[in-house]
């Protein structure tokens, strides 16, 4: 992982602002989720524009020209169009005439799915440099009258540039582990899509049930990825989790016996940005010097589907 970039819309919406028009409060939102504010897309922000901004910053960080990128994968559940894929539009925006791009829809687990796919493309020799992006505008699929969901999400994009290493070095993606269970699809879903005639187009969630699944499945996920690599909790330098709820993150950190200072947290300021949350957190912690070369980083996520998974990387 050689490049990191992020983009957050300028407009910040505080809990108090939501409480002024909904039956909720700053106290409830903070206590139940850890969220204090979220960034909300402006009229000129969309999945493509935010993904492009995050990708450009990741390329700048790595000092790699866009023309050297072989593949672009965008994880998003809020694309601007059914097709062309967001990734293909980003390819054009970056001025790239070669390579290929496609989107992945795995809701909040999308970045882990995209990372796994990029790793496989690199290992199989199909691509040498892959941009992995999460870009989401959940503000456009939220029912702003539903206090059970609209207070939880925010907009943004994050990007990571992966590049093939020379030989078998100690750094890079050590392994990724993906899961889904379609029988739990009714716990968290968007009511409708372009292919359906009658639908609200809003996100719906049975929060308490998703919470229960998240704690159990993410716990199993961190055990799975460490066992696959013959590593233990003590080996983990940083937990960079999907940012849905501070209580879920703290639960996984406690299980790993990781102190709070070793967990990258953005949910307080970004809320849940779905597939963008892990790359946004990586970007923040690499750029402010917390995550350094040689660190072992554990990523995990769970989202609609249900989908879930984990990834372990040595920076
Ligand atoms: O990223 C994808 C994965 N998503 C997640 O991981 C989210 C998982 N779920 C959660 O994070 C939590 O379940 C929530 C934050 C969504 C909800 O927290 P909770 O502690 O599970 O609350 P609850 O749903 O059990 O609701 C408790 C009470 C209810 O009132 P009653 O029935 O006890 O009278 C809700 O109606 O809180 C009420 N409530 C609210 N009150 C004030 C629900 N939303 C709000 C609100 N403000 N915004």
């Amino acid at each position: 992982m050689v490049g990191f970039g992020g983009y957050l819309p300028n407009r910040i919406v505080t809990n108090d602002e939501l409480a002024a028009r909904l039956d909720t409060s700053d106290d409830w939102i903070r206590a139940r989720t850890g969220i204090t504010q979220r960034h909300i897309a402006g009229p000129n922000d969309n999945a493509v524009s935010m993904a492009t901004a995050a990708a450009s910053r990741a390329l700048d960080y790595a000092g790699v020209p866009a023309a050297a990128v072989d593949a672009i994968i965008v994880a998003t559940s809020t694309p601007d169009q059914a097709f062309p894929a967001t990734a293909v539009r980003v390819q054009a925006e970056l001025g790239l005439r070669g390579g290929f791009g496609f989107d992945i829809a795995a809701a909040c687990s999308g970045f882990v799915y995209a990372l796994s796919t990029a790793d496989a493309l690199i290992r199989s020799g199909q691509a040498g440099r892959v941009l992995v992006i999460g870009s989401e505008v959940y503000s456009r699929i939220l029912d702003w009258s539903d206090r059970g969901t609209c207070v939880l999400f925010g907009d943004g994009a994050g990007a990571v540039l992966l590049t093939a290493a020379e030989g078998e070095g100690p750094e890079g993606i050590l392994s990724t582990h993906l899961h889904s269970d379609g029988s739990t699809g009714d716990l968290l879903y968007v009511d409708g899509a372009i292919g359906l005639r009658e639908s609200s187009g809003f996100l719906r969630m049975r929060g308490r049930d998703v919470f229960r699944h998240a704690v159990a499945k993410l716990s199993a996920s961190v055990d799975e990825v460490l066992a696959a690599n013959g590593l233990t909790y003590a080996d983990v330098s940083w937990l960079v989790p999907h940012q849905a709820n501070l209580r879920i993150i703290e639960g996984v950190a406690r299980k790993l016996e990781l102190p709070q200072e070793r967990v990258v947290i953005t949910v307080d300021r970004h809320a849940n940005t779905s597939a963008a949350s892990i790359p946004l957190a990586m970007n923040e912690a690499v750029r402010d010097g917390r995550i350094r070369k040689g660190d072992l980083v554990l990523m995990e996520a769970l989202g609609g589907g249900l989908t879930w998974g984990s990834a372990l990387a040595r920076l």
Side-chain angles (χ1 to χ4, degrees):
M1 298 171 104
V2 297
F4 305 87
Y7 174 87
L8 290 161
N10 286 332
R11 168 113 165 85
I12 291 174
V13 175
T14 62
N15 292 345
D16 283 331
E17 237 180 296
L18 294 180
R21 55 175 200 254
L22 266 176
D23 181 16
T24 188
S25 65
D26 180 47
D27 281 352
W28 191 95
I29 302 170
R30 274 177 201 259
R32 300 289 178 129
T33 69
I35 296 166
T36 66
Q37 61 169 48
R38 69 283 295 139
H39 292 253
I40 297 294
N44 297 322
D45 292 314
N46 53 52
V48 171
S49 70
M50 297 197 303
T52 304
S56 299
R57 290 170 187 173
L59 291 170
D60 283 350
Y61 184 99
V64 168
V69 171
D70 301 312
I72 302 173
I73 307 176
V74 177
T76 185
S77 298
T78 48
D80 305 340
Q81 297 165 280
F83 64 84
T86 314
V88 175
R89 303 258 321 274
V90 170
Q91 178 189 28
E93 291 291 322
L94 292 175
L96 246 168
R97 300 300 290 273
F100 60 95
F102 57 94
D103 290 1
I104 283 184
C108 297
S109 312
F111 183 76
V112 174
Y113 271 64
L115 200 61
S116 180
T117 307
D119 185 43
L121 287 174
I122 289 175
R123 285 182 193 277
S124 68
Q126 291 185 78
R129 288 197 186 87
V130 185
L131 265 172
V132 184
I133 308 168
S135 185
E136 301 278 22
V137 251
Y138 268 49
S139 62
R140 295 189 182 137
I141 56 164
L142 291 174
D143 175 353
W144 286 97
S145 67
D146 175 15
R147 67 176 185 173
T149 53
C150 76
V151 304
L152 305 173
F153 295 91
D155 300 329
V160 172
L161 179 68
L162 297 192
T163 184
E166 305 278 327
E168 280 291 314
E171 74 278 355
I173 311 289
L174 304 187
S175 71
T176 58
H177 304 265
L178 307 180
H179 300 277
S180 68
D181 176 3
S183 72
T184 50
D186 60 339
L187 300 184
L188 174 52
Y189 62 96
V190 176
D191 175 27
I194 291 157
L196 289 178
R197 265 167 213 273
E198 308 230 340
S199 57
S200 70
F202 289 140
L203 178 148
R204 302 293 181 203
M205 176 164 74
R206 280 168 36 200
R208 215 174 299 181
D209 293 327
V210 176
F211 191 99
R212 204 167 33 83
H213 279 284
V215 170
K217 291 186 162 57
L218 294 174
S219 266
S221 245
V222 298
D223 282 342
E224 179 182 30
V225 71
L226 289 172
N229 292 281
L231 296 168
T232 69
Y233 298 161
D235 296 309
V236 177
S237 319
W238 291 96
L239 175 65
V240 184
H242 167 50
Q243 313 273 328
N245 186 319
L246 190 57
R247 290 187 291 146
I248 298 173
I249 295 173
E250 285 173 348
V252 176
R254 257 196 311 277
K255 178 187 165 62
L256 289 169
E257 295 159 22
L258 263 188
Q260 203 62 17
E261 311 82 70
R262 290 273 153 187
V263 184
V264 181
I265 291 174
T266 57
V267 68
D268 53 335
R269 290 155 292 122
H270 300 174
N272 182 346
T273 57
S274 191
S277 84
I278 292 177
L280 273 168
M282 282 295 293
N283 176 56
E284 199 172 281
V286 167
R287 284 179 186 258
D288 69 20
R290 274 179 289 169
I291 297 183
R292 297 194 187 152
K293 199 149 184 50
D295 283 351
L296 188 70
V297 177
L298 200 168
M299 294 161 265
E300 40 84 344
L302 175 135
L306 294 177
T307 55
W308 65 100
S310 56
L312 199 59
R314 177 82 64 189
L315 262 287

